Amino acid sequence: MKKKILLLDCTLRDGSYITQSHFGAPAIKGIIKKMQDAKADIIECGWLKDKPYEKDTTFYHVPSDMEPYLLERSPRTTYVAMIDWDRYDVSQLLPCDGNSIDAIRVVFPHGKHHEGIQVGEAIKAKGYKVFYQAANTMSYEDEEILDLAKCINAVHPVALSVVDTFGAMYPEDLERIVGLLDRHLDKDICLGFHSHNNRQLSFALSMHFVELLQKSERTAIVDASLCGMGRGAGNATTELMVSYLNEKQHGDYDMDAVLDAIDIYMQAFQEQYSWGYSTPYFIAGMYQCHVNNIAYLLKNHRTNARDMRNVISSLSQEERRHYDYDLLEARFMENQNRLIDDEAAVATLKAQFQDKTILLVAPGTSALAKQAKILSYIEKEHPVVIGVNAILPGYAYDYLFFTNSVRYEYAQEAYGEVFARTKKILLSNIKTAAAADETLINFNRAIKRGWPHFDNAVICCLRLMDKLSVRDVVLAGFDGFKSKYNESYADASLPTLNPDNDWDGLNAEIKSIFHDFRLATRQTMDVRFLTDSL
């Protein structure tokens, strides 16, 4: 009897975006073996790429590169690899010999299904089964779906998969696409679904997909990965799909083997890497946006959610579906700059700070641990006290300086009384219309580009002090980062601005920025540390 629902595990393929394909031989062998033991119907072993094979990775050059990892091949399992339709020269494929993969999945973007299908035909001629992946299927109009079905019927592959590339689908979107394809595809062609979890709907949509095909004669293929491992927001999880299929769809998958794979192999990856639902990837789903745009904004600018939404929404729908880093950088800077006339504000601050010592109180743990020392200094020397990007209890600030809207709003909510009675200096990326107690300064006055995290708040404040001709600055609480976020800040609830948690890298970068600043200002500004700093 033909099986009605097939489970495809794509951990080693989709997870390669997380590990850059470096899983290591034990994990590659082990995950494949455990998925065999779990009775997964299809195991996606990785990618075929146009580059020499590097051992211990899941970016293979030719199918034979996979042979060392396929232990005791199971006759009930189909082993596949994926290619991008235009990034792999299929002429280098030797005929399928049954010693490595059985099939190749060809993925093609919206608008390229004719070309992608031709590539699959060349692969099929060499004896491999062919599966097609219609990336960003949600963008297909009804007429395009009908043409896709017609073209697929003409070549008769094993399967065609619907792909929610941007994690943007709602149930009615899936119903529209699956309904059309189920009616117009030949019934012996399997229909698959590959989801992404940007809206926290991956598992729900995968279940819905299976249920949509329950009354059809067609076999359904549902993709999942261990722990949802995959690019950006990740995928439906293999363990949840196995539980659902066993309990609700008469599946016979071995949950113990799945859990063993997680215990033995996945926990180490979870400790080293991050993936899965997050607010930035929700924004990607909301705007049907390529995840590389989100990753760029996070890595290069630590962009908060509101600014990220503003930047992404400024792109056209076509621009969002691709990634052009020059364009993205330009839109980010447009969003941040928000040019204002700040000449009068600069003149006022320059007059107020003339011949004064400025004490910058940053939010490092030493700002509270050494507070007695800092308050003694304030009482003795009477500096102008500026809180940098945070409010801490026990300080009477003359000014608060903010470079980030999240920190600005957190301070307003968490320390309302101090916030309300203290004058504030804001960069124009936060707002362009000042309240009565606020002074706005153009973003560009306080930054120097050249580093991913060029907008470090203390450095920005130092640059502004230089523009205001301040000659004497003392730093407190500018500690550097420890390995855990809540050990780095005096206020453990302070919103993080370093989403990748690379604290050592951030320390090295800030040190480089600080030394560059001091090189330029050593003759005009005296900068001293009142508390220790890395």
Side-chain angles (χ1 to χ4, degrees):
M1 180 178 168
K2 184 179 179 182
K3 195 171 180 185
K4 192 75 168 48
I5 305 166
L6 304 179
L7 174 67
L8 185 151
D9 182 86
C10 59
T11 307
L12 294 172
R13 198 274 303 171
D14 221 324
S16 66
Y17 288 112
I18 305 300
T19 66
Q20 288 73 54
S21 83
H22 291 271
F23 283 91
I28 299 172
K29 293 177 182 178
I31 288 171
I32 292 173
K33 181 62 167 61
K34 288 299 181 185
M35 289 299 96
Q36 286 177 186
D37 294 345
K39 303 178 186 176
D41 303 286
I42 306 168
I43 301 173
E44 195 167 41
C45 303
W47 289 87
L48 290 174
K49 296 283 188 179
D50 262 337
K51 63 178 185 178
Y53 178 60
E54 183 180 348
K55 188 180 177 182
D56 299 340
T57 75
T58 55
F59 286 170
Y60 312 100
H61 182 55
V62 290
S64 58
D65 293 330
M66 279 170 262
E67 289 183 28
Y69 306 111
L70 298 174
L71 307 177
E72 304 171 17
R73 293 173 89 258
S74 169
R76 64 163 287 160
T77 302
T78 300
Y79 303 89
V80 306
M82 181 174 280
I83 68 164
D84 276 312
W85 73 280
D86 63 342
R87 297 179 184 175
Y88 188 74
D89 179 7
V90 298
S91 67
Q92 61 201 312
L93 284 176
L94 293 174
C96 181
D97 60 9
N99 293 324
S100 60
I101 53 172
D102 309 296
I104 294 176
R105 295 220 283 180
V106 180
V107 61
F108 48 80
H110 174 238
K112 294 293 183 180
H113 62 274
H114 292 278
E115 295 87 340
I117 288 170
Q118 287 181 356
V119 172
E121 280 294 272
I123 294 169
K124 189 177 180 181
K126 298 196 174 190
Y128 297 92
K129 298 175 183 176
V130 174
F131 296 64
Y132 289 111
Q133 297 274 104
N136 190 20
T137 321
M138 189 171 166
S139 290
Y140 283 69
E141 300 291 341
D142 289 359
E143 295 77 9
E144 293 174 303
I145 292 175
L146 296 179
D147 186 62
L148 174 63
K150 178 182 176 181
C151 294
I152 292 293
N153 287 339
V155 300
H156 224 81
V158 173
L160 169 70
S161 283
V162 174
V163 184
D164 187 11
T165 298
F166 303 116
M169 284 186 181
Y170 284 116
E172 56 267 30
D173 301 310
L174 187 64
E175 290 163 9
R176 174 183 73 89
I177 295 166
V178 170
L180 281 170
L181 288 174
D182 188 38
R183 287 193 295 275
H184 293 278
L185 273 182
D186 290 347
K187 294 302 180 185
D188 56 348
I189 297 174
C190 302
L191 188 58
F193 179 54
H194 182 88
S195 61
H196 289 120
N197 204 34
N198 299 63
R199 293 186 189 266
Q200 287 280 48
L201 289 173
S202 189
F203 178 47
L205 288 172
S206 296
M207 288 190 294
H208 191 47
F209 168 75
V210 170
E211 290 156 4
L212 286 172
L213 292 180
Q214 278 185 328
K215 295 181 180 180
S216 172
E217 304 170 32
R218 189 182 311 283
T219 295
I221 300 174
V222 62
D223 288 16
S225 60
L226 293 166
C227 305
M229 188 184 199
R231 179 161 59 170
N235 310 108
T237 63
T238 297
E239 55 273 23
L240 287 178
M241 285 309 305
V242 164
S243 176
Y244 163 71
L245 293 174
N246 283 351
E247 293 178 29
K248 301 295 184 181
Q249 299 295 338
H250 310 290
D252 64 344
Y253 302 102
D254 188 332
M255 178 62 85
D256 285 341
V258 173
L259 296 179
D260 284 346
I262 292 171
D263 287 341
I264 298 170
Y265 303 109
M266 298 304 296
Q267 286 188 356
F269 295 124
Q270 288 179 308
E271 291 173 2
Q272 296 176 61
Y273 303 101
S274 297
W275 67 85
Y277 173 81
S278 68
T279 302
Y281 290 114
F282 155 67
I283 293 171
M286 183 166 56
Y287 288 102
Q288 300 180 48
C289 171
H290 197 292
V291 295
N292 284 9
N293 293 305
I294 301 299
Y296 178 88
L297 292 172
L298 288 174
K299 179 180 178 181
N300 292 283
H301 296 299
R302 299 178 292 168
T303 312
N304 63 54
R306 181 190 294 178
D307 285 345
M308 184 174 292
R309 189 170 88 89
N310 288 336
V311 172
I312 297 302
S313 68
S314 74
L315 302 173
S316 71
Q317 186 59 72
E318 185 62 26
E319 289 167 343
R320 293 171 197 160
R321 291 171 181 165
H322 305 282
Y323 52 95
D324 178 339
Y325 295 142
D326 291 336
L327 173 63
L328 200 61
E329 181 69 17
R331 294 297 174 83
F332 173 80
M333 296 314 302
E334 287 173 11
N335 182 71
Q336 295 296 96
N337 286 345
R338 299 173 186 168
L339 295 177
I340 59 171
D341 182 0
D342 66 352
E343 294 297 334
V346 169
T348 298
L349 290 176
K350 187 176 289 189
Q352 291 174 349
F353 292 170
Q354 187 174 14
D355 300 326
K356 299 284 182 64
T357 296
I358 307 297
L359 171 63
L360 304 185
V361 181
T365 54
S366 69
L368 289 187
K370 300 293 184 181
Q371 189 170 54
K373 176 183 178 181
I374 298 167
L375 293 178
S376 175
Y377 173 83
I378 293 171
E379 184 177 3
K380 179 180 178 181
E381 302 294 338
H382 306 291
V384 175
V385 181
I386 301 178
V388 179
N389 239 18
I391 293 172
L392 298 177
Y395 286 99
Y397 301 101
D398 297 298
Y399 290 89
L400 297 169
F401 173 78
F402 290 100
T403 64
N404 179 275
S405 61
V406 172
R407 291 284 182 83
Y408 171 87
E409 293 190 13
Y410 174 78
Q412 187 175 30
E413 294 294 328
Y415 301 97
E417 291 186 12
V418 177
F419 184 92
R421 68 172 179 256
T422 308
K423 292 180 286 186
K424 289 164 280 289
I425 303 170
L426 313 178
L427 297 188
S428 60
N429 60 313
I430 297 176
K431 58 196 302 189
T432 56
D437 59 351
E438 295 175 342
T439 299
L440 301 187
I441 300 295
N442 271 319
F443 180 72
N444 276 329
R445 281 193 191 271
I447 64 166
K448 178 182 177 181
R449 298 180 184 87
W451 299 266
H453 301 119
F454 63 81
D455 56 350
N456 173 268
V458 172
I459 304 295
C460 284
C461 197
L462 284 170
R463 293 195 191 285
L464 177 59
M465 294 303 107
D466 180 51
K467 299 288 175 60
L468 299 176
S469 301
V470 170
R471 295 293 172 254
D472 191 17
V473 177
V474 178
L475 299 176
F478 188 37
D479 301 350
F481 293 98
K482 300 179 175 65
S483 59
K484 293 183 179 179
Y485 176 78
N486 60 6
E487 294 178 356
S488 298
Y489 285 104
D491 179 356
S493 298
L494 201 64
T496 180
L497 300 179
N498 186 34
D500 58 7
N501 295 318
D502 180 13
W503 304 112
D504 290 339
L506 187 55
N507 283 330
E509 188 180 348
I510 294 172
K511 182 176 181 178
S512 170
I513 301 171
F514 179 74
H515 285 180
D516 176 80
F517 173 77
R518 293 303 292 132
L519 187 65
T521 60
R522 200 167 298 280
Q523 302 302 316
T524 58
M525 179 186 289
D526 183 26
V527 178
R528 290 167 286 141
F529 284 85
L530 192 56
T531 57
D532 292 337
S533 172
L534 294 174

